[in-house]
Amino acid sequence: SVHGVKVYNLSAGKTYPQWLSERKRRSLAKDKEYQNRIELFQDFDFPVASQTIKMTNDGQYVISTGTYKPQVKVFEVSELSLKFSRHFDSDCIAVETLSNDYQKIAFLLSDKSLAFHAAYGAHHTIKIPLFGRDMVYQKSACDLIVATNGSDVYRLNLDEGRFKAPLTLPEENGGTKIALSSVHQLLTVGTEDGWIHLFDSRTNSNKKKPISGLKISKDEASISAVSYASDGLTLGVGTEHGQVMLFDLRTSTPMLTKHHQNSSQIVKLQFLENLTETYKTVLSADRNIVKFWNRLDGAMIANVETPSCINDICIAKDERGDSGLMMVAGEQPRVMNYYIPVIGSAPKWYSYLDNLTEELEEKSNNTVYDDYKFVTKDEVEGLGISSMIGTKLLKGYMHGFFMDVQ
């Protein structure tokens, strides 16, 4: 509980290797920590780290990529289990679903290629001239739009099977992030030198230059996240220095500016939408922490600090919209899962999550930390026990120490 807001860590328990014998697995039934563990999906982990995570448009499948070796895993929410897994030749940078389910998926890979997969497996791979950094799919035009490390933003038309004339950025540094509004089809591209450029994707002119541009960062900070709200007028922009700004497209002055205070780049920015929401919630995440706040006044709602660096975030959804279940891809083998009731209820396909969290609260959890008290460095100096630093009586942890209360 942080400031009275309860956050349930669903991936805090230990993981056990798959090569354990059946006899050893049966013996784990008496292990209290094993009994209290919660597994969102079967095999929801990767050998080294997870890189991207995304839900399909119908909300029935979760697509996650990781390494090493580079691979993708697709999970079916109705069965809470692994649907299939496949391997790549290089790391995955971005994922886009081309259909409502998992049967048509595009992967942007780090070797300057686009890999297209179907239900039966890998379908086709196509090379692009420059290294891709982000991509988005424009359903109305069947265009897969890719931002690269050059001034060109490539458009691959999947209906005709050919490249269209690329969009051209004024800067040579290239695009970093890209977002498309489903309301008016305006395309926004963030660049390395702190600009955002807007393109009207509805025009068929060969000279695809931006219709508008705005310098976001005065200190040349790269744009690391871009996102549209469902109203089509609110645009969120995150920078590599941990700054988030909300804009109304009708003005160049930000409506609200939010600082993460740790100078870590914003890796995810999302406007949450659900039918029961009483306030407009924004999710912004840097490499170390996830923050939920009110987009009207910037008031904090909840925050989650993860044990490892964050690469990507997915909020689970159902027919009601976004839920309170958050899946985090990061620099650890296990995909991190958190449930935050104040953000939203549990998704219908995991509705018994509310009962599980109530049961965990009722149980008395006696841990090794019950015999220790957390103290900061200033408190240690105030107690005059600085000489105990490094001994068993004072165990270093985060920005302080655990002190043996005995």
Side-chain angles (χ1 to χ4, degrees):
S1 178
V2 182
H3 301 299
V5 178
K6 293 180 179 179
V7 177
Y8 298 95
N9 187 349
L10 306 182
S11 52
K14 290 183 178 179
T15 57
Y16 295 90
Q18 296 180 355
W19 41 260
L20 283 181
S21 64
E22 190 63 30
R23 182 177 180 181
K24 182 63 176 177
R25 289 177 183 272
R26 287 197 299 268
S27 67
L28 291 174
K30 299 178 182 179
D31 190 321
K32 289 185 178 180
E33 189 171 5
Y34 184 78
Q35 291 174 349
N36 291 336
R37 84 195 194 288
I38 299 176
E39 286 189 344
L40 185 61
F41 296 115
Q42 175 192 4
D43 298 329
F44 204 26
D45 53 31
F46 293 89
V48 177
S50 49
Q51 296 167 317
T52 67
I53 188 164
K54 186 184 187 74
M55 285 199 81
T56 55
N57 296 330
D58 60 4
Q60 296 300 310
Y61 301 92
V62 176
I63 305 170
S64 183
T65 64
T67 192
Y68 176 83
K69 300 175 179 179
Q71 57 188 288
V72 58
K73 290 184 176 182
V74 176
F75 302 87
E76 189 172 2
V77 301
S78 60
E79 301 293 336
L80 296 180
S81 63
L82 180 67
K83 181 75 174 177
F84 62 84
S85 64
R86 298 168 186 166
H87 285 76
F88 302 124
D89 293 330
S90 58
D91 290 335
C92 180
I93 297 174
V95 181
E96 276 296 327
T97 55
L98 309 179
S99 61
N100 286 330
D101 55 14
Y102 70 92
Q103 298 191 44
K104 294 179 181 180
I105 313 174
F107 300 96
L108 176 62
L109 304 181
S110 60
D111 62 351
K112 297 195 292 186
S113 66
L114 291 169
F116 296 92
H117 283 231
Y120 50 81
H123 176 71
H124 187 65
T125 300
I126 187 171
K127 287 285 187 177
I128 54 177
L130 299 172
F131 289 99
R133 289 175 171 171
D134 196 14
M135 69 176 178
V136 69
Y137 179 56
Q138 186 182 8
K139 189 176 181 180
S140 60
C142 290
D143 284 347
L144 191 63
I145 307 172
V146 184
T148 67
N149 62 340
S151 60
D152 288 338
V153 178
Y154 298 114
R155 297 183 298 159
L156 176 61
N157 186 272
L158 302 181
D159 184 31
E160 300 176 359
R162 64 179 182 88
F163 282 99
K164 290 183 175 180
L167 309 178
T168 304
L169 296 171
E171 294 82 14
E172 292 294 334
N173 291 333
T176 53
K177 287 294 176 179
I178 189 168
L180 178 71
S181 173
S182 59
V183 178
H184 42 60
Q185 301 298 306
L186 274 181
L187 182 74
T188 300
V189 181
T191 66
E192 280 188 9
D193 50 4
W195 280 81
I196 58 170
H197 296 285
L198 276 68
F199 296 86
D200 188 355
S201 62
R202 299 167 297 181
T203 61
N204 294 320
S205 172
N206 290 328
K207 296 182 179 180
K208 300 297 291 186
K209 294 185 178 180
I211 59 174
S212 180
L214 179 64
K215 180 72 170 179
I216 298 296
S217 177
K218 296 180 180 179
D219 55 359
E220 304 293 329
S222 173
I223 304 300
S224 59
V226 182
S227 180
Y228 276 101
S230 60
D231 59 11
L233 293 176
T234 306
L235 174 68
V237 180
T239 71
E240 65 175 347
H241 292 168
Q243 190 178 41
V244 179
M245 287 164 280
L246 302 185
F247 290 88
D248 188 311
L249 290 182
R250 296 165 293 190
T251 177
S252 60
T253 304
M255 300 185 296
L256 182 66
T257 301
K258 192 81 172 175
H259 296 271
H260 272 229
Q261 306 293 345
N262 56 9
S263 300
S264 178
Q265 72 169 2
I266 304 299
V267 297
K268 184 70 174 182
L269 183 58
Q270 181 178 346
F271 296 89
L272 304 187
E273 308 287 345
N274 60 60
L275 300 179
T276 60
E277 190 179 39
T278 56
Y279 38 68
K280 301 295 184 181
T281 307
V282 177
L283 178 157
S284 61
D286 57 38
R287 295 283 287 173
N288 306 302
I289 193 169
V290 185
K291 294 188 178 185
F292 298 88
W293 41 281
N294 193 317
R295 85 183 200 192
L296 300 179
D297 56 9
M300 284 297 302
I301 300 171
N303 63 74
V304 179
E305 189 172 352
T306 59
S308 61
C309 291
I310 300 170
N311 290 329
D312 197 10
I313 293 176
C314 175
I315 297 295
K317 61 184 179 182
D318 54 22
E319 59 269 22
R320 298 172 297 179
D322 295 319
S323 69
L325 178 61
M326 178 175 67
M327 298 172 282
V328 183
E331 294 296 324
Q332 68 173 37
R334 197 173 187 179
V335 177
M336 297 167 279
N337 306 298
Y338 298 90
Y339 177 48
I340 310 142
V342 71
I343 300 301
S345 58
K348 286 188 175 180
W349 48 267
Y350 208 62
S351 57
Y352 48 86
L353 183 59
D354 290 318
N355 296 331
L356 286 174
T357 51
E358 289 176 5
E359 290 176 6
L360 290 176
E361 282 188 356
E362 292 172 359
K363 293 180 180 179
S364 57
N365 295 323
N366 296 320
T367 67
V368 293
Y369 293 109
D370 290 342
D371 296 330
Y372 292 88
K373 175 181 174 62
F374 182 80
V375 291
T376 64
K377 189 174 182 180
D378 293 336
E379 291 173 334
V380 169
E381 294 175 352
L383 293 172
I385 55 175
S386 300
S387 60
M388 295 183 181
I389 296 176
T391 66
K392 294 181 179 180
L393 299 177
L394 280 178
K395 299 180 181 293
Y397 182 77
M398 294 178 65
H399 60 282
F401 306 88
F402 274 119
M403 181 176 66
D404 193 329
V405 297
Q406 297 178 356

